[in-house]
Amino acid sequence: MSYEKVTNDEYLSLALRYNEQRTINDSLQKEVTELKTKNEIWGRYVKECLLDIERLKDELDKFIFDDEEKYSQSTVRISANLDNRGGE
């Protein structure tokens, strides 16, 4: 194995480039970690929103069903009242 002779200036230049790259890498790793954390938080938030939507949908369906049932009951009562008036 052969090694090239490196001057002090070249060595310092390589060392500085290595440190710069390491700093950039550390910074990117930190950013990736922060983005993963934010992604997890948003994921939980979206799941909660979807659950809320399902709950609200169920409540709306129940409300509509109850309202339809009240409407049909009142229609039956009105019909009965009209029938009773006609029979007088």
Side-chain angles (χ1 to χ4, degrees):
M1 202 184 237
S2 68
Y3 294 96
E4 293 180 32
K5 285 193 171 188
V6 180
T7 64
N8 280 344
D9 289 341
E10 290 172 326
Y11 177 79
L12 288 174
S13 175
L14 287 172
L16 286 173
R17 279 185 45 212
Y18 172 79
N19 282 337
E20 287 172 358
Q21 291 300 315
R22 196 169 81 184
T23 302
I24 290 169
N25 187 44
D26 290 348
S27 175
L28 289 173
Q29 279 300 113
K30 182 180 177 185
E31 194 172 330
V32 165
T33 301
E34 288 173 3
L35 288 172
K36 283 181 179 178
T37 301
K38 287 179 182 178
N39 189 37
E40 290 171 3
I41 291 168
W42 277 106
R44 286 192 300 265
Y45 177 74
V46 167
K47 284 179 185 176
E48 289 174 16
C49 288
L50 291 173
L51 290 173
D52 285 346
I53 289 169
E54 280 299 313
R55 182 182 53 77
L56 291 171
K57 182 184 166 291
D58 292 343
E59 286 180 23
L60 181 61
D61 287 346
K62 183 179 181 233
F63 176 78
I64 290 171
F65 177 76
D66 288 348
D67 201 39
E68 286 175 351
E69 204 167 283
K70 287 176 188 172
Y71 173 77
S72 68
Q73 288 174 0
S74 66
T75 304
V76 168
R77 274 184 268 146
I78 290 170
S79 294
N81 286 339
L82 290 175
D83 289 344
N84 287 339
R85 284 188 183 170
E88 289 181 20

